[in-house]
Amino acid sequence: ADLVERAGNLGAITLAEGIEDAEELAVVRHLGAALGQGYYFAPPLSDVQFLELLETQVGQPLEGLAAWGSGGAFHRPPTVPH
């Protein structure tokens, strides 16, 4: 959690990789990671498969991203004065 907090203080967006199940998702959300990826959200996709997935999801959250929930994914990090 300390590393995630330090990254946020620097204006970095934290990404938890390798999330494979709901329990791991809960842990990384509790730690404060801003984004996550892994088999829990989707298996590895070819470029063609990825584009097909995007086309079917226009205007809808991706199934895995919906599991991330509000307040976690895609929030802007705090701004750091330059």
Short mmCIF file of all heavy atoms in Angstrom, two decimals:
data_model
loop_
_atom_site.label_atom_id
_atom_site.label_comp_id
_atom_site.label_asym_id
_atom_site.label_seq_id
_atom_site.Cartn_x
_atom_site.Cartn_y
_atom_site.Cartn_z
N ALA A 1 0.82 -1.19 0.00
CA ALA A 1 0.00 0.00 0.00
C ALA A 1 0.86 1.25 0.00
O ALA A 1 0.50 2.24 -0.61
CB ALA A 1 -0.95 0.00 1.18
N ASP A 2 1.99 1.19 0.68
CA ASP A 2 2.89 2.34 0.75
C ASP A 2 3.41 2.70 -0.63
O ASP A 2 3.47 3.88 -0.99
CB ASP A 2 4.05 2.04 1.70
CG ASP A 2 4.95 3.24 1.92
OD1 ASP A 2 4.42 4.32 2.26
OD2 ASP A 2 6.18 3.11 1.74
N LEU A 3 3.76 1.69 -1.42
CA LEU A 3 4.27 1.94 -2.77
C LEU A 3 3.19 2.59 -3.64
O LEU A 3 3.48 3.53 -4.39
CB LEU A 3 4.76 0.64 -3.40
CG LEU A 3 5.35 0.74 -4.79
CD1 LEU A 3 6.57 1.67 -4.79
CD2 LEU A 3 5.74 -0.62 -5.30
N VAL A 4 1.95 2.12 -3.53
CA VAL A 4 0.84 2.69 -4.30
C VAL A 4 0.63 4.15 -3.90
O VAL A 4 0.44 5.03 -4.73
CB VAL A 4 -0.44 1.87 -4.12
CG1 VAL A 4 -1.63 2.54 -4.78
CG2 VAL A 4 -0.25 0.46 -4.67
N GLU A 5 0.70 4.42 -2.60
CA GLU A 5 0.53 5.79 -2.11
C GLU A 5 1.65 6.69 -2.62
O GLU A 5 1.40 7.80 -3.08
CB GLU A 5 0.51 5.80 -0.59
CG GLU A 5 0.25 7.18 0.00
CD GLU A 5 0.19 7.15 1.52
OE1 GLU A 5 -0.09 6.10 2.10
OE2 GLU A 5 0.43 8.22 2.11
N ARG A 6 2.87 6.20 -2.57
CA ARG A 6 4.01 7.00 -3.06
C ARG A 6 3.87 7.29 -4.55
O ARG A 6 4.15 8.39 -5.00
CB ARG A 6 5.33 6.28 -2.78
CG ARG A 6 5.71 6.28 -1.34
CD ARG A 6 6.99 5.52 -1.13
NE ARG A 6 7.24 5.33 0.28
CZ ARG A 6 8.43 5.40 0.83
NH1 ARG A 6 9.49 5.64 0.08
NH2 ARG A 6 8.58 5.20 2.11
N ALA A 7 3.46 6.29 -5.30
CA ALA A 7 3.26 6.49 -6.74
C ALA A 7 2.20 7.55 -6.98
O ALA A 7 2.37 8.43 -7.84
CB ALA A 7 2.87 5.18 -7.41
N GLY A 8 1.11 7.50 -6.23
CA GLY A 8 0.05 8.50 -6.37
C GLY A 8 0.54 9.89 -6.04
O GLY A 8 0.18 10.86 -6.69
N ASN A 9 1.39 9.99 -5.01
CA ASN A 9 1.94 11.29 -4.64
C ASN A 9 2.81 11.88 -5.74
O ASN A 9 2.97 13.09 -5.82
CB ASN A 9 2.75 11.18 -3.34
CG ASN A 9 1.88 10.92 -2.13
OD1 ASN A 9 0.67 11.16 -2.16
ND2 ASN A 9 2.48 10.39 -1.08
N LEU A 10 3.37 11.02 -6.58
CA LEU A 10 4.19 11.47 -7.71
C LEU A 10 3.34 11.73 -8.96
O LEU A 10 3.87 12.12 -9.98
CB LEU A 10 5.27 10.43 -8.02
CG LEU A 10 6.32 10.24 -6.94
CD1 LEU A 10 7.22 9.05 -7.28
CD2 LEU A 10 7.15 11.51 -6.77
N GLY A 11 2.05 11.46 -8.87
CA GLY A 11 1.16 11.66 -10.02
C GLY A 11 1.13 10.47 -10.95
O GLY A 11 0.58 10.57 -12.05
N ALA A 12 1.70 9.35 -10.54
CA ALA A 12 1.70 8.15 -11.38
C ALA A 12 0.38 7.40 -11.25
O ALA A 12 -0.28 7.47 -10.21
CB ALA A 12 2.85 7.23 -10.98
N ILE A 13 0.00 6.71 -12.29
CA ILE A 13 -1.18 5.86 -12.25
C ILE A 13 -0.68 4.44 -11.98
O ILE A 13 0.17 3.93 -12.69
CB ILE A 13 -1.95 5.91 -13.58
CG1 ILE A 13 -2.48 7.33 -13.81
CG2 ILE A 13 -3.08 4.90 -13.58
CD1 ILE A 13 -3.13 7.53 -15.17
N THR A 14 -1.22 3.81 -10.96
CA THR A 14 -0.78 2.47 -10.60
C THR A 14 -1.60 1.42 -11.32
O THR A 14 -2.82 1.54 -11.44
CB THR A 14 -0.88 2.26 -9.07
OG1 THR A 14 -2.19 2.59 -8.65
CG2 THR A 14 0.13 3.14 -8.35
N LEU A 15 -0.93 0.38 -11.79
CA LEU A 15 -1.56 -0.71 -12.53
C LEU A 15 -1.18 -2.03 -11.87
O LEU A 15 0.00 -2.34 -11.76
CB LEU A 15 -1.10 -0.72 -13.99
CG LEU A 15 -1.45 -1.94 -14.82
CD1 LEU A 15 -2.95 -2.04 -15.03
CD2 LEU A 15 -0.72 -1.91 -16.15
N ALA A 16 -2.17 -2.77 -11.42
CA ALA A 16 -1.94 -4.10 -10.86
C ALA A 16 -2.05 -5.11 -11.99
O ALA A 16 -3.07 -5.16 -12.67
CB ALA A 16 -2.97 -4.40 -9.77
N GLU A 17 -1.01 -5.88 -12.19
CA GLU A 17 -0.99 -6.86 -13.28
C GLU A 17 -1.20 -8.27 -12.76
O GLU A 17 -0.87 -8.58 -11.63
CB GLU A 17 0.34 -6.78 -14.03
CG GLU A 17 0.56 -5.46 -14.73
CD GLU A 17 1.77 -5.48 -15.64
OE1 GLU A 17 2.41 -6.53 -15.77
OE2 GLU A 17 2.06 -4.44 -16.22
N GLY A 18 -1.75 -9.12 -13.61
CA GLY A 18 -1.89 -10.53 -13.29
C GLY A 18 -3.05 -10.87 -12.38
O GLY A 18 -3.02 -11.88 -11.69
N ILE A 19 -4.11 -10.07 -12.39
CA ILE A 19 -5.29 -10.36 -11.56
C ILE A 19 -6.02 -11.54 -12.18
O ILE A 19 -6.42 -11.49 -13.34
CB ILE A 19 -6.21 -9.13 -11.47
CG1 ILE A 19 -5.47 -7.95 -10.84
CG2 ILE A 19 -7.47 -9.48 -10.68
CD1 ILE A 19 -6.21 -6.64 -10.93
N GLU A 20 -6.17 -12.62 -11.39
CA GLU A 20 -6.79 -13.84 -11.92
C GLU A 20 -8.12 -14.19 -11.31
O GLU A 20 -8.84 -15.04 -11.84
CB GLU A 20 -5.81 -15.01 -11.78
CG GLU A 20 -4.56 -14.81 -12.63
CD GLU A 20 -3.67 -16.03 -12.67
OE1 GLU A 20 -4.09 -17.09 -12.18
OE2 GLU A 20 -2.57 -15.92 -13.20
N ASP A 21 -8.48 -13.57 -10.18
CA ASP A 21 -9.77 -13.92 -9.58
C ASP A 21 -10.28 -12.75 -8.74
O ASP A 21 -9.59 -11.75 -8.54
CB ASP A 21 -9.68 -15.20 -8.74
CG ASP A 21 -8.63 -15.14 -7.65
OD1 ASP A 21 -8.48 -14.08 -7.00
OD2 ASP A 21 -7.95 -16.16 -7.43
N ALA A 22 -11.52 -12.89 -8.26
CA ALA A 22 -12.17 -11.81 -7.51
C ALA A 22 -11.42 -11.48 -6.22
O ALA A 22 -11.38 -10.33 -5.80
CB ALA A 22 -13.62 -12.20 -7.20
N GLU A 23 -10.83 -12.48 -5.59
CA GLU A 23 -10.08 -12.24 -4.35
C GLU A 23 -8.87 -11.35 -4.61
O GLU A 23 -8.61 -10.41 -3.87
CB GLU A 23 -9.64 -13.57 -3.75
CG GLU A 23 -8.94 -13.42 -2.41
CD GLU A 23 -8.55 -14.75 -1.80
OE1 GLU A 23 -9.00 -15.81 -2.28
OE2 GLU A 23 -7.79 -14.73 -0.83
N GLU A 24 -8.13 -11.63 -5.68
CA GLU A 24 -6.98 -10.79 -6.03
C GLU A 24 -7.43 -9.38 -6.39
O GLU A 24 -6.78 -8.40 -6.04
CB GLU A 24 -6.19 -11.42 -7.18
CG GLU A 24 -5.47 -12.68 -6.77
CD GLU A 24 -4.75 -13.35 -7.91
OE1 GLU A 24 -4.84 -12.88 -9.07
OE2 GLU A 24 -4.10 -14.38 -7.66
N LEU A 25 -8.56 -9.27 -7.08
CA LEU A 25 -9.10 -7.95 -7.42
C LEU A 25 -9.40 -7.17 -6.15
O LEU A 25 -9.06 -5.99 -6.04
CB LEU A 25 -10.35 -8.09 -8.28
CG LEU A 25 -11.09 -6.79 -8.60
CD1 LEU A 25 -10.22 -5.82 -9.38
CD2 LEU A 25 -12.38 -7.09 -9.36
N ALA A 26 -10.02 -7.81 -5.19
CA ALA A 26 -10.35 -7.14 -3.93
C ALA A 26 -9.10 -6.65 -3.23
O ALA A 26 -9.07 -5.53 -2.69
CB ALA A 26 -11.14 -8.08 -3.03
N VAL A 27 -8.04 -7.44 -3.25
CA VAL A 27 -6.79 -7.06 -2.59
C VAL A 27 -6.18 -5.83 -3.26
O VAL A 27 -5.82 -4.86 -2.58
CB VAL A 27 -5.78 -8.23 -2.56
CG1 VAL A 27 -4.40 -7.76 -2.11
CG2 VAL A 27 -6.28 -9.34 -1.66
N VAL A 28 -6.06 -5.85 -4.58
CA VAL A 28 -5.41 -4.71 -5.25
C VAL A 28 -6.26 -3.45 -5.17
O VAL A 28 -5.72 -2.35 -5.09
CB VAL A 28 -4.99 -5.03 -6.70
CG1 VAL A 28 -3.96 -6.14 -6.73
CG2 VAL A 28 -6.17 -5.37 -7.58
N ARG A 29 -7.59 -3.61 -5.16
CA ARG A 29 -8.44 -2.43 -4.96
C ARG A 29 -8.24 -1.88 -3.55
O ARG A 29 -8.17 -0.67 -3.36
CB ARG A 29 -9.91 -2.78 -5.19
CG ARG A 29 -10.19 -3.01 -6.68
CD ARG A 29 -11.66 -3.10 -6.95
NE ARG A 29 -12.24 -1.77 -6.75
CZ ARG A 29 -13.52 -1.55 -6.49
NH1 ARG A 29 -14.34 -2.56 -6.38
NH2 ARG A 29 -13.97 -0.33 -6.35
N HIS A 30 -8.16 -2.76 -2.57
CA HIS A 30 -7.93 -2.33 -1.18
C HIS A 30 -6.59 -1.60 -1.06
O HIS A 30 -6.47 -0.63 -0.32
CB HIS A 30 -7.97 -3.53 -0.24
CG HIS A 30 -7.67 -3.19 1.17
ND1 HIS A 30 -8.57 -2.53 2.00
CD2 HIS A 30 -6.55 -3.37 1.92
CE1 HIS A 30 -8.02 -2.34 3.17
NE2 HIS A 30 -6.80 -2.84 3.16
N LEU A 31 -5.60 -2.06 -1.80
CA LEU A 31 -4.28 -1.42 -1.78
C LEU A 31 -4.29 -0.08 -2.49
O LEU A 31 -3.37 0.71 -2.34
CB LEU A 31 -3.23 -2.34 -2.39
CG LEU A 31 -2.91 -3.60 -1.59
CD1 LEU A 31 -1.97 -4.51 -2.38
CD2 LEU A 31 -2.32 -3.24 -0.23
N GLY A 32 -5.32 0.18 -3.31
CA GLY A 32 -5.45 1.48 -3.95
C GLY A 32 -4.98 1.56 -5.39
O GLY A 32 -4.81 2.65 -5.92
N ALA A 33 -4.75 0.42 -6.04
CA ALA A 33 -4.33 0.45 -7.44
C ALA A 33 -5.41 1.13 -8.28
O ALA A 33 -6.60 0.89 -8.09
CB ALA A 33 -4.07 -0.95 -7.96
N ALA A 34 -4.99 1.98 -9.22
CA ALA A 34 -5.94 2.71 -10.06
C ALA A 34 -6.50 1.85 -11.18
O ALA A 34 -7.66 1.99 -11.57
CB ALA A 34 -5.26 3.94 -10.65
N LEU A 35 -5.69 0.94 -11.71
CA LEU A 35 -6.10 0.09 -12.83
C LEU A 35 -5.64 -1.32 -12.57
O LEU A 35 -4.74 -1.56 -11.76
CB LEU A 35 -5.47 0.59 -14.14
CG LEU A 35 -5.83 2.00 -14.59
CD1 LEU A 35 -4.97 2.41 -15.78
CD2 LEU A 35 -7.30 2.07 -14.96
N GLY A 36 -6.22 -2.26 -13.30
CA GLY A 36 -5.80 -3.64 -13.18
C GLY A 36 -5.98 -4.37 -14.50
O GLY A 36 -6.78 -3.98 -15.33
N GLN A 37 -5.20 -5.44 -14.66
CA GLN A 37 -5.34 -6.27 -15.85
C GLN A 37 -5.01 -7.70 -15.48
O GLN A 37 -4.35 -7.96 -14.49
CB GLN A 37 -4.44 -5.76 -16.98
CG GLN A 37 -2.95 -5.94 -16.76
CD GLN A 37 -2.46 -7.31 -17.22
OE1 GLN A 37 -2.90 -7.81 -18.26
NE2 GLN A 37 -1.58 -7.90 -16.46
N GLY A 38 -5.50 -8.61 -16.27
CA GLY A 38 -5.23 -10.02 -16.05
C GLY A 38 -6.35 -10.89 -16.58
O GLY A 38 -7.33 -10.40 -17.14
N TYR A 39 -6.20 -12.20 -16.39
CA TYR A 39 -7.19 -13.15 -16.89
C TYR A 39 -8.57 -12.92 -16.31
O TYR A 39 -9.57 -13.27 -16.92
CB TYR A 39 -6.76 -14.59 -16.58
CG TYR A 39 -5.78 -15.16 -17.57
CD1 TYR A 39 -4.43 -15.08 -17.36
CD2 TYR A 39 -6.25 -15.76 -18.73
CE1 TYR A 39 -3.53 -15.61 -18.27
CE2 TYR A 39 -5.37 -16.29 -19.65
CZ TYR A 39 -4.00 -16.21 -19.42
OH TYR A 39 -3.13 -16.73 -20.33
N TYR A 40 -8.66 -12.32 -15.13
CA TYR A 40 -9.97 -12.06 -14.54
C TYR A 40 -10.80 -11.14 -15.44
O TYR A 40 -12.01 -11.27 -15.52
CB TYR A 40 -9.81 -11.42 -13.16
CG TYR A 40 -11.11 -11.20 -12.44
CD1 TYR A 40 -11.85 -12.27 -11.97
CD2 TYR A 40 -11.60 -9.92 -12.23
CE1 TYR A 40 -13.05 -12.08 -11.31
CE2 TYR A 40 -12.80 -9.72 -11.56
CZ TYR A 40 -13.52 -10.80 -11.11
OH TYR A 40 -14.71 -10.61 -10.46
N PHE A 41 -10.14 -10.24 -16.13
CA PHE A 41 -10.83 -9.30 -17.01
C PHE A 41 -10.99 -9.87 -18.41
O PHE A 41 -12.05 -9.74 -19.02
CB PHE A 41 -10.09 -7.97 -17.07
CG PHE A 41 -9.97 -7.31 -15.73
CD1 PHE A 41 -8.80 -7.35 -15.01
CD2 PHE A 41 -11.06 -6.65 -15.18
CE1 PHE A 41 -8.70 -6.75 -13.78
CE2 PHE A 41 -10.98 -6.05 -13.94
CZ PHE A 41 -9.80 -6.11 -13.23
N ALA A 42 -9.94 -10.48 -18.94
CA ALA A 42 -9.99 -11.07 -20.28
C ALA A 42 -8.71 -11.86 -20.51
O ALA A 42 -7.65 -11.48 -20.00
CB ALA A 42 -10.12 -9.99 -21.36
N PRO A 43 -8.79 -12.92 -21.31
CA PRO A 43 -7.57 -13.64 -21.67
C PRO A 43 -6.77 -12.80 -22.66
O PRO A 43 -7.29 -11.83 -23.22
CB PRO A 43 -8.10 -14.92 -22.33
CG PRO A 43 -9.42 -14.52 -22.89
CD PRO A 43 -9.98 -13.50 -21.92
N PRO A 44 -5.51 -13.16 -22.90
CA PRO A 44 -4.75 -12.44 -23.93
C PRO A 44 -5.48 -12.53 -25.27
O PRO A 44 -6.04 -13.56 -25.62
CB PRO A 44 -3.42 -13.20 -23.99
CG PRO A 44 -3.31 -13.88 -22.66
CD PRO A 44 -4.72 -14.21 -22.26
N LEU A 45 -5.51 -11.41 -25.99
CA LEU A 45 -6.21 -11.34 -27.26
C LEU A 45 -5.27 -10.91 -28.37
O LEU A 45 -4.37 -10.09 -28.15
CB LEU A 45 -7.36 -10.32 -27.17
CG LEU A 45 -8.41 -10.54 -26.09
CD1 LEU A 45 -9.34 -9.33 -26.01
CD2 LEU A 45 -9.21 -11.80 -26.35
N SER A 46 -5.52 -11.42 -29.56
CA SER A 46 -4.79 -10.92 -30.73
C SER A 46 -5.32 -9.52 -31.04
O SER A 46 -6.36 -9.10 -30.52
CB SER A 46 -5.02 -11.84 -31.93
OG SER A 46 -6.36 -11.71 -32.40
N ASP A 47 -4.63 -8.80 -31.92
CA ASP A 47 -5.11 -7.47 -32.27
C ASP A 47 -6.50 -7.53 -32.90
O ASP A 47 -7.37 -6.71 -32.62
CB ASP A 47 -4.12 -6.75 -33.18
CG ASP A 47 -3.77 -7.53 -34.44
OD1 ASP A 47 -4.09 -8.74 -34.53
OD2 ASP A 47 -3.15 -6.94 -35.33
N VAL A 48 -6.77 -8.54 -33.71
CA VAL A 48 -8.07 -8.69 -34.35
C VAL A 48 -9.14 -8.98 -33.30
O VAL A 48 -10.22 -8.37 -33.31
CB VAL A 48 -8.04 -9.81 -35.42
CG1 VAL A 48 -9.44 -10.10 -35.95
CG2 VAL A 48 -7.10 -9.42 -36.55
N GLN A 49 -8.85 -9.88 -32.36
CA GLN A 49 -9.81 -10.20 -31.30
C GLN A 49 -10.09 -8.98 -30.43
O GLN A 49 -11.23 -8.74 -30.03
CB GLN A 49 -9.28 -11.33 -30.42
CG GLN A 49 -9.22 -12.67 -31.10
CD GLN A 49 -8.46 -13.68 -30.26
OE1 GLN A 49 -7.40 -13.41 -29.72
NE2 GLN A 49 -9.03 -14.88 -30.16
N PHE A 50 -9.05 -8.19 -30.15
CA PHE A 50 -9.22 -6.99 -29.34
C PHE A 50 -10.15 -6.00 -30.02
O PHE A 50 -11.06 -5.46 -29.41
CB PHE A 50 -7.87 -6.36 -29.03
CG PHE A 50 -7.96 -5.10 -28.23
CD1 PHE A 50 -8.32 -5.15 -26.90
CD2 PHE A 50 -7.70 -3.87 -28.81
CE1 PHE A 50 -8.42 -3.98 -26.15
CE2 PHE A 50 -7.80 -2.70 -28.07
CZ PHE A 50 -8.16 -2.76 -26.74
N LEU A 51 -9.93 -5.77 -31.32
CA LEU A 51 -10.78 -4.85 -32.07
C LEU A 51 -12.23 -5.36 -32.11
O LEU A 51 -13.17 -4.57 -31.98
CB LEU A 51 -10.24 -4.63 -33.47
CG LEU A 51 -8.92 -3.84 -33.53
CD1 LEU A 51 -8.40 -3.80 -34.96
CD2 LEU A 51 -9.10 -2.44 -32.98
N GLU A 52 -12.40 -6.67 -32.28
CA GLU A 52 -13.76 -7.23 -32.28
C GLU A 52 -14.42 -7.02 -30.92
O GLU A 52 -15.61 -6.68 -30.85
CB GLU A 52 -13.71 -8.72 -32.62
CG GLU A 52 -13.39 -9.00 -34.07
CD GLU A 52 -13.16 -10.47 -34.38
OE1 GLU A 52 -13.12 -11.30 -33.43
OE2 GLU A 52 -13.02 -10.80 -35.56
N LEU A 53 -13.67 -7.20 -29.84
CA LEU A 53 -14.21 -6.99 -28.51
C LEU A 53 -14.63 -5.53 -28.34
O LEU A 53 -15.72 -5.26 -27.84
CB LEU A 53 -13.17 -7.36 -27.45
CG LEU A 53 -13.57 -7.12 -26.00
CD1 LEU A 53 -14.77 -7.98 -25.62
CD2 LEU A 53 -12.40 -7.37 -25.08
N LEU A 54 -13.80 -4.61 -28.77
CA LEU A 54 -14.15 -3.20 -28.66
C LEU A 54 -15.41 -2.87 -29.44
O LEU A 54 -16.26 -2.12 -28.97
CB LEU A 54 -13.00 -2.32 -29.13
CG LEU A 54 -11.78 -2.24 -28.23
CD1 LEU A 54 -10.73 -1.32 -28.84
CD2 LEU A 54 -12.15 -1.77 -26.84
N GLU A 55 -15.52 -3.41 -30.64
CA GLU A 55 -16.70 -3.14 -31.47
C GLU A 55 -17.98 -3.63 -30.81
O GLU A 55 -19.03 -3.00 -30.93
CB GLU A 55 -16.54 -3.78 -32.85
CG GLU A 55 -15.52 -3.08 -33.72
CD GLU A 55 -15.25 -3.82 -35.02
OE1 GLU A 55 -15.82 -4.92 -35.24
OE2 GLU A 55 -14.46 -3.30 -35.82
N THR A 56 -17.92 -4.74 -30.08
CA THR A 56 -19.13 -5.26 -29.44
C THR A 56 -19.42 -4.54 -28.13
O THR A 56 -20.52 -4.67 -27.60
CB THR A 56 -19.00 -6.77 -29.15
OG1 THR A 56 -17.94 -6.99 -28.22
CG2 THR A 56 -18.76 -7.55 -30.42
N GLN A 57 -18.47 -3.79 -27.62
CA GLN A 57 -18.63 -3.14 -26.32
C GLN A 57 -18.83 -1.63 -26.41
O GLN A 57 -18.82 -0.96 -25.40
CB GLN A 57 -17.40 -3.42 -25.44
CG GLN A 57 -17.21 -4.86 -25.08
CD GLN A 57 -18.29 -5.37 -24.14
OE1 GLN A 57 -18.73 -4.66 -23.26
NE2 GLN A 57 -18.71 -6.60 -24.34
N VAL A 58 -19.01 -1.09 -27.60
CA VAL A 58 -19.16 0.35 -27.75
C VAL A 58 -20.33 0.82 -26.89
O VAL A 58 -21.43 0.29 -26.95
CB VAL A 58 -19.40 0.73 -29.23
CG1 VAL A 58 -19.76 2.20 -29.37
CG2 VAL A 58 -18.16 0.41 -30.06
N GLY A 59 -20.06 1.80 -26.04
CA GLY A 59 -21.09 2.35 -25.16
C GLY A 59 -21.37 1.51 -23.93
O GLY A 59 -22.25 1.84 -23.15
N GLN A 60 -20.65 0.42 -23.75
CA GLN A 60 -20.85 -0.45 -22.59
C GLN A 60 -19.51 -0.67 -21.91
O GLN A 60 -18.49 -0.74 -22.58
CB GLN A 60 -21.37 -1.82 -23.03
CG GLN A 60 -22.64 -1.79 -23.83
CD GLN A 60 -22.97 -3.20 -24.32
OE1 GLN A 60 -22.73 -4.18 -23.64
NE2 GLN A 60 -23.51 -3.29 -25.51
N PRO A 61 -19.52 -0.80 -20.60
CA PRO A 61 -18.25 -1.15 -19.95
C PRO A 61 -17.88 -2.58 -20.31
O PRO A 61 -18.76 -3.42 -20.48
CB PRO A 61 -18.56 -1.03 -18.46
CG PRO A 61 -20.03 -1.21 -18.36
CD PRO A 61 -20.60 -0.68 -19.65
N LEU A 62 -16.60 -2.85 -20.48
CA LEU A 62 -16.19 -4.22 -20.69
C LEU A 62 -16.57 -5.03 -19.46
O LEU A 62 -16.55 -4.53 -18.34
CB LEU A 62 -14.67 -4.29 -20.92
CG LEU A 62 -14.16 -3.57 -22.17
CD1 LEU A 62 -12.65 -3.62 -22.22
CD2 LEU A 62 -14.76 -4.18 -23.42
N GLU A 63 -16.90 -6.27 -19.65
CA GLU A 63 -17.38 -7.09 -18.54
C GLU A 63 -16.41 -7.06 -17.36
O GLU A 63 -16.80 -6.89 -16.22
CB GLU A 63 -17.58 -8.53 -19.02
CG GLU A 63 -18.12 -9.45 -17.96
CD GLU A 63 -18.35 -10.84 -18.50
OE1 GLU A 63 -18.76 -10.97 -19.66
OE2 GLU A 63 -18.10 -11.78 -17.74
N GLY A 64 -15.14 -7.22 -17.63
CA GLY A 64 -14.16 -7.21 -16.55
C GLY A 64 -14.03 -5.85 -15.90
O GLY A 64 -13.88 -5.75 -14.68
N LEU A 65 -14.12 -4.79 -16.69
CA LEU A 65 -14.01 -3.45 -16.12
C LEU A 65 -15.19 -3.15 -15.22
O LEU A 65 -15.06 -2.45 -14.23
CB LEU A 65 -13.91 -2.40 -17.23
CG LEU A 65 -12.62 -2.42 -18.04
CD1 LEU A 65 -12.67 -1.34 -19.11
CD2 LEU A 65 -11.42 -2.26 -17.17
N ALA A 66 -16.35 -3.71 -15.53
CA ALA A 66 -17.51 -3.50 -14.67
C ALA A 66 -17.24 -4.07 -13.29
O ALA A 66 -17.71 -3.55 -12.29
CB ALA A 66 -18.74 -4.14 -15.29
N ALA A 67 -16.44 -5.14 -13.22
CA ALA A 67 -16.10 -5.74 -11.93
C ALA A 67 -15.21 -4.82 -11.12
O ALA A 67 -15.19 -4.88 -9.90
CB ALA A 67 -15.40 -7.08 -12.15
N TRP A 68 -14.45 -3.97 -11.81
CA TRP A 68 -13.55 -3.06 -11.09
C TRP A 68 -14.37 -2.08 -10.26
O TRP A 68 -14.02 -1.72 -9.16
CB TRP A 68 -12.66 -2.32 -12.09
CG TRP A 68 -11.53 -1.61 -11.42
CD1 TRP A 68 -11.48 -0.29 -11.10
CD2 TRP A 68 -10.29 -2.16 -10.98
NE1 TRP A 68 -10.30 0.01 -10.49
CE2 TRP A 68 -9.55 -1.12 -10.41
CE3 TRP A 68 -9.74 -3.44 -11.02
CZ2 TRP A 68 -8.28 -1.31 -9.88
CZ3 TRP A 68 -8.48 -3.62 -10.50
CH2 TRP A 68 -7.76 -2.57 -9.94
N GLY A 69 -15.49 -1.63 -10.80
CA GLY A 69 -16.42 -0.78 -10.05
C GLY A 69 -16.03 0.67 -10.03
O GLY A 69 -15.00 1.08 -10.54
N SER A 70 -16.88 1.46 -9.42
CA SER A 70 -16.65 2.91 -9.37
C SER A 70 -15.55 3.24 -8.38
O SER A 70 -15.32 2.53 -7.43
CB SER A 70 -17.94 3.61 -8.96
OG SER A 70 -18.31 3.21 -7.67
N GLY A 71 -14.88 4.32 -8.64
CA GLY A 71 -13.85 4.80 -7.75
C GLY A 71 -12.52 4.10 -7.92
O GLY A 71 -11.55 4.45 -7.27
N GLY A 72 -12.44 3.10 -8.78
CA GLY A 72 -11.18 2.40 -8.95
C GLY A 72 -10.57 2.69 -10.30
O GLY A 72 -9.55 3.35 -10.40
N ALA A 73 -11.22 2.22 -11.33
CA ALA A 73 -10.64 2.32 -12.66
C ALA A 73 -10.78 3.72 -13.25
O ALA A 73 -11.78 4.39 -13.05
CB ALA A 73 -11.30 1.31 -13.59
N PHE A 74 -9.78 4.12 -13.92
CA PHE A 74 -9.77 5.32 -14.75
C PHE A 74 -9.98 6.63 -14.00
O PHE A 74 -10.44 7.58 -14.57
CB PHE A 74 -10.79 5.20 -15.89
CG PHE A 74 -10.57 3.97 -16.72
CD1 PHE A 74 -11.53 2.98 -16.78
CD2 PHE A 74 -9.39 3.78 -17.41
CE1 PHE A 74 -11.33 1.85 -17.53
CE2 PHE A 74 -9.18 2.64 -18.16
CZ PHE A 74 -10.14 1.67 -18.22
N HIS A 75 -9.66 6.67 -12.74
CA HIS A 75 -9.72 7.97 -12.08
C HIS A 75 -8.41 8.69 -12.34
O HIS A 75 -7.37 8.08 -12.54
CB HIS A 75 -10.01 7.84 -10.58
CG HIS A 75 -8.85 7.35 -9.78
ND1 HIS A 75 -8.56 6.01 -9.65
CD2 HIS A 75 -7.93 8.01 -9.08
CE1 HIS A 75 -7.50 5.87 -8.89
NE2 HIS A 75 -7.09 7.07 -8.54
N ARG A 76 -8.47 9.99 -12.36
CA ARG A 76 -7.26 10.77 -12.61
C ARG A 76 -6.43 10.85 -11.32
O ARG A 76 -6.98 11.05 -10.25
CB ARG A 76 -7.61 12.18 -13.06
CG ARG A 76 -8.27 12.22 -14.40
CD ARG A 76 -8.37 13.67 -14.88
NE ARG A 76 -9.03 13.73 -16.15
CZ ARG A 76 -8.43 13.58 -17.32
NH1 ARG A 76 -7.15 13.35 -17.36
NH2 ARG A 76 -9.10 13.66 -18.44
N PRO A 77 -5.12 10.69 -11.45
CA PRO A 77 -4.29 10.83 -10.26
C PRO A 77 -4.28 12.28 -9.81
O PRO A 77 -4.61 13.17 -10.59
CB PRO A 77 -2.91 10.38 -10.75
CG PRO A 77 -2.92 10.63 -12.21
CD PRO A 77 -4.36 10.44 -12.65
N PRO A 78 -3.92 12.53 -8.56
CA PRO A 78 -3.85 13.92 -8.11
C PRO A 78 -2.82 14.69 -8.92
O PRO A 78 -1.82 14.12 -9.36
CB PRO A 78 -3.42 13.80 -6.65
CG PRO A 78 -2.95 12.39 -6.47
CD PRO A 78 -3.52 11.57 -7.57
N THR A 79 -3.12 15.93 -9.17
CA THR A 79 -2.18 16.75 -9.94
C THR A 79 -1.03 17.16 -9.05
O THR A 79 -1.18 17.39 -7.85
CB THR A 79 -2.86 18.01 -10.51
OG1 THR A 79 -3.44 18.73 -9.43
CG2 THR A 79 -3.93 17.64 -11.52
N VAL A 80 0.13 17.18 -9.66
CA VAL A 80 1.34 17.55 -8.94
C VAL A 80 1.83 18.86 -9.53
O VAL A 80 2.01 18.96 -10.74
CB VAL A 80 2.43 16.47 -9.09
CG1 VAL A 80 3.71 16.90 -8.41
CG2 VAL A 80 1.93 15.15 -8.54
N PRO A 81 2.02 19.90 -8.71
CA PRO A 81 2.51 21.16 -9.26
C PRO A 81 3.89 20.99 -9.87
O PRO A 81 4.71 20.25 -9.37
CB PRO A 81 2.57 22.10 -8.04
CG PRO A 81 2.05 21.33 -6.89
CD PRO A 81 1.83 19.92 -7.29
N HIS A 82 4.11 21.69 -10.97
CA HIS A 82 5.42 21.59 -11.65
C HIS A 82 6.35 22.67 -11.17
O HIS A 82 6.10 23.73 -10.90
CB HIS A 82 5.25 21.70 -13.15
CG HIS A 82 4.43 20.57 -13.71
ND1 HIS A 82 4.86 19.27 -13.70
CD2 HIS A 82 3.19 20.54 -14.23
CE1 HIS A 82 3.95 18.50 -14.24
NE2 HIS A 82 2.90 19.25 -14.57
#
